[in-house]
Amino acid sequence: MEAGDEKEESPQPAALGRFQLSEEYGFLLPSPLTELPPSYSPWMDIAHELPKLIASHQLRACIHQMPQLNTQHLRGREELHLAHLVLSFLTMGYVWQEGEEGTMRVLPRNLAVPFWEVSQALGLPPILTHADFVLANWRRKDPSSCWLPCRNLEPIISLPGGESLHGFILVTLLVEKAAVPGIKATIQAIHALQHLDDELLHRALQGLAAAIGDMDKALQQMHDYVDPAVFYTVIRIFLSGWRDNAAMPHGLLYEGVSEQPMAFSGGSAAQSSVLHAFDELLGIQHSQESTAFLHRMRDYMPPPHRAFIRDISRAPSLRQHILSSADLRLREAFNHCITALADFRSHHIAIVTKYIAVAKAKAGQEEACSTGKPPAALEAKGTGGSHIFIFLKSVRDSTREGLISA
C-alpha cells in the first residue's frame, strides 16, 4: 500500500501550486515580505506609525503631504501584496481617523491611484480585505523559531487597538493555519471521488473533521488575546467598508480613478476561502440571501483562491456519492465533518455575541469612558455589511441540515 499511497498523494502539490496555495501555509502567504524597496519609503514610513498618527489625528495631514508614487517599480506578487496591505491600511486609517461622524468622502489621488493600480494587478478590490488583514500580514519575531501560538508572531502593519488588535489578527491567522490539513484533505477527497477510491475518501474525511476541530480550538484563543471592549469601540470601525454602511451611504470617491463614488464591503471572516471550500466539498446549501452574500465576498479573495473554490464546486458530488454508497463508515465520517463545521460556526456565533452584542451593551453603559465611542452605524451588522446574527445563524443552521440520516 505504501507505493499506492504515494501515488494518491501526488495530485496535492500540483493542485496547491496551481491555486497559489502553500503545502505548509495553505491560503496564507508564506513568509510575506515586510519591507518594500526604498523608493516606497513614503508609504512604509507612514504605515509603521499608523496607530500613533491616528491617535494624534495627524494621519490625514501626513497622507496629504505624501508624494504620488509610481507602482510600475513593484516587482512580483510578494511586493504587490505588501503594497496592497500597506495602502489598504492607510486608506482605512484615512477614512475612519475621526470615527463614523467624521468620515471622508474622497480618497486623495496620491493614495487612490496607486491603490487602484495595485488592486487591478492583484485582482483585489481597493479596500482592506481578509487577504490583507490576515493572510499577508504576519511575520515571525524570531525567524529561526517555530509557530508558537501568538508568542512568536506579529502583524507587519497595525491599526489602533494595541495588543487586542494584534491578538485578533494572529488568532485568525492560527485558524487559517489549522485549516491547512483540511485543504489538503479536500483535494484528497476530490481525487478519491474521481478515482472511486472509498478507502482514500474515508481517510480524507477523517482528516477534514480533525482539521475543523483544530480550527475550532484555535478560534477559542480569541477569548485569551482580545478585549471585547477594545474590539467593539476601537478596532471594529477600521475594518468597516463603504457599502451597506449608514455612516458612508454614498460610498467613497477614489480621486483620479473614477468620477463617481464606489462602494466596497469591509474586511470580513466571510472573505476567508477556507469555509467556502469546505461548504462546496460537503454540498452545504445555504439560504438564497446567505448564498448571495457569500458569493459576493468571493470577489474580495485573491483570484487563485476563488478559482480553487470554483474547481471544488465543479468536482463530482461528495454528498451524492455518500447517499448512493452502502458504506456506513463513509456516512459516519461525512457526518463528523458536518457536525464539526456546525460546531465551529456555533462557537463563532458565541464569540460574535461576546464581542459585539455584549460589548455593545457594556459600551452603552460606559460611553463616557476612555475606550472611545462605539460605531452606531454597525450595531447590528458585520464589517462586511451583513446583518450579522441573522446571517451567522442561518449559515450554521443550513450546515446542520447537511447531515445525512441513517
Side-chain angles (χ1 to χ4, degrees):
M1 273 305 289
E2 284 181 16
D5 283 350
E6 270 180 35
K7 194 176 177 188
E8 285 158 358
E9 297 296 333
S10 64
Q12 283 202 3
L16 289 165
R18 189 155 56 98
F19 298 109
Q20 291 179 5
L21 297 175
S22 154
E23 186 92 30
E24 187 177 354
Y25 297 107
F27 290 111
L28 294 168
L29 202 62
S31 305
L33 282 186
T34 58
E35 286 293 338
L36 287 172
S39 58
Y40 294 99
S41 63
W43 294 350
M44 298 303 297
D45 291 347
I46 296 174
H48 287 314
E49 299 295 325
L50 263 183
K52 205 182 295 180
L53 291 170
I54 292 168
S56 63
H57 304 274
Q58 294 177 323
L59 175 63
R60 288 177 182 168
C62 288
I63 285 174
H64 290 152
Q65 292 163 14
M66 194 174 73
Q68 185 171 325
L69 303 180
N70 188 334
T71 59
Q72 291 179 344
H73 304 302
L74 292 165
R75 294 279 173 265
R77 199 165 56 95
E78 286 78 11
E79 285 190 6
L80 284 168
H81 271 297
L82 178 55
H84 199 276
L85 162 62
V86 167
L87 295 171
S88 67
F89 271 59
L90 294 186
T91 296
M92 297 320 243
Y94 183 87
V95 170
W96 298 112
Q97 174 182 286
E98 303 301 328
E100 65 178 10
E101 290 166 5
T103 57
M104 300 298 281
R105 292 191 173 193
V106 179
L107 196 66
R109 175 187 308 271
N110 59 344
L111 178 51
V113 170
F115 193 17
W116 177 261
E117 290 171 354
V118 170
S119 298
Q120 291 294 103
L122 286 170
L124 288 170
I127 193 169
L128 177 72
T129 67
H130 177 80
D132 303 300
F133 190 63
V134 177
L135 304 184
N137 191 25
W138 65 277
R139 64 176 160 208
R140 286 188 177 96
K141 292 177 189 174
D142 176 3
S144 64
S145 188
C146 64
W147 277 62
L148 295 167
C150 289
R151 289 185 209 103
N152 190 38
L153 297 171
E154 62 184 358
I156 299 166
I157 310 293
S158 241
L159 282 162
E163 289 303 310
S164 285
L165 185 278
H166 289 194
F168 184 63
I169 293 172
L170 297 174
V171 170
T172 311
L173 185 80
L174 294 176
V175 174
E176 290 277 350
K177 182 73 162 63
V180 174
I183 297 162
K184 292 179 181 176
T186 297
I187 295 169
Q188 200 175 44
I190 289 168
H191 185 65
L193 286 166
Q194 289 166 337
H195 293 81
L196 301 176
D197 185 340
D198 281 356
E199 202 54 50
L200 177 62
L201 181 58
H202 183 253
R203 287 204 306 276
L205 291 174
Q206 286 179 313
L208 177 57
I212 298 169
D214 288 340
M215 288 166 62
D216 204 350
K217 285 178 199 151
L219 183 65
Q220 297 307 315
Q221 293 183 65
M222 200 68 78
H223 299 289
D224 302 324
Y225 289 100
V226 185
D227 181 320
V230 175
F231 176 78
Y232 187 73
T233 60
V234 180
I235 296 170
R236 199 163 170 249
I237 193 167
F238 291 101
L239 309 181
S240 308
W242 25 97
R243 174 174 174 161
D244 302 324
N245 187 343
M248 292 189 70
H250 306 295
L252 181 67
L253 181 71
Y254 290 73
E255 190 181 46
V257 172
S258 169
E259 292 182 5
Q260 298 298 321
M262 293 190 274
F264 296 103
S265 298
S268 165
Q271 295 168 8
S272 169
S273 305
V274 170
L275 295 186
H276 289 254
F278 296 169
D279 278 349
E280 290 292 355
L281 176 70
L282 297 169
I284 305 295
Q285 299 289 316
H286 295 300
S287 73
Q288 193 174 349
E289 194 176 348
S290 294
T291 298
F293 176 73
L294 286 166
H295 280 213
R296 182 157 66 77
M297 290 297 99
R298 293 181 186 179
D299 295 338
Y300 294 76
M301 299 172 184
H305 299 179
R306 262 179 257 161
F308 179 68
I309 296 163
R310 193 166 55 245
D311 260 33
I312 297 168
S313 71
R314 292 172 179 170
S317 168
L318 169 62
R319 186 177 181 81
Q320 286 307 315
H321 182 80
I322 304 285
L323 285 168
S324 60
S325 168
D327 191 335
L328 291 177
R329 287 188 325 144
L330 277 184
R331 185 168 296 201
E332 188 181 336
F334 177 88
N335 281 341
H336 277 159
C337 292
I338 298 287
T339 303
L341 191 52
D343 287 349
F344 177 87
R345 285 179 157 144
S346 288
H347 294 145
H348 185 221
I349 291 168
I351 284 172
V352 171
T353 302
K354 174 179 173 178
Y355 283 85
I356 295 179
V358 175
K360 172 192 164 188
K362 286 185 179 171
Q365 295 162 8
E366 304 165 7
E367 200 173 295
C369 84
S370 60
T371 47
K373 186 181 177 187
L378 283 172
E379 280 182 350
K381 289 193 173 187
T383 47
S386 65
H387 290 277
I388 193 158
F389 290 103
I390 296 169
F391 168 71
L392 291 176
K393 287 174 180 173
S394 163
V395 166
R396 188 268 318 275
D397 292 347
S398 51
T399 303
R400 280 182 182 154
E401 286 164 15
L403 285 166
I404 295 176
S405 52

